[in-house]
Amino acid sequence: MAVVGVAGCAVVWLADPTTPGGILPVCPTKALLGIDCPFCGGLRAAYALLHGDLVGALRYNAFALVLLVVGGWVGATWVRGARTGRPGLHRDLLHRLLPVLYLLAAVWFVVRLLPLGVPHV
């Protein structure tokens, strides 16, 4: 998993999703419907983070950073549990966490569609 993560980061680093017409794919929702999905700007946010630009990453997609923090926490507890032999996360906690993430994704989707001054990059 670590190798895949590092390889993915290397691709994003080298491909530069902030430059139009690059090799990375365009969001299908944006391409087909012309609206931002909850994950639009996620690759650009990752690119900004890889270059140490936290403010830029937040501007591209704040929800992607929430997912990154939650994913890092889940991954770290999984690794700790595998190394110590104790369960890292209880399934009940994960089952409660997923609906919260779905709700946050839905709220972020609606907020990005409203003309509230939330950046659309």
Side-chain angles (χ1 to χ4, degrees), residues 10-93:
V11 168
V12 171
W13 178 283
L14 296 172
D16 186 5
T18 61
T19 304
I23 64 169
L24 295 173
V26 177
C27 173
T29 304
K30 183 79 167 180
L32 295 173
L33 303 175
I35 59 175
D36 291 333
C37 78
F39 307 106
C40 277
L43 285 176
R44 290 172 292 194
Y47 182 80
L49 274 181
L50 288 170
H51 286 85
D53 184 8
L54 180 63
V55 174
L58 283 169
R59 191 176 67 244
Y60 284 127
N61 190 327
F63 182 65
L65 293 181
V66 170
L67 291 179
L68 180 66
V69 169
V70 170
W73 174 66
V74 169
T77 55
W78 177 76
V79 168
R80 188 194 73 204
R83 296 187 92 202
T84 62
R86 294 182 303 197
L89 288 176
H90 298 287
R91 289 189 189 266
D92 293 342
L93 178 61

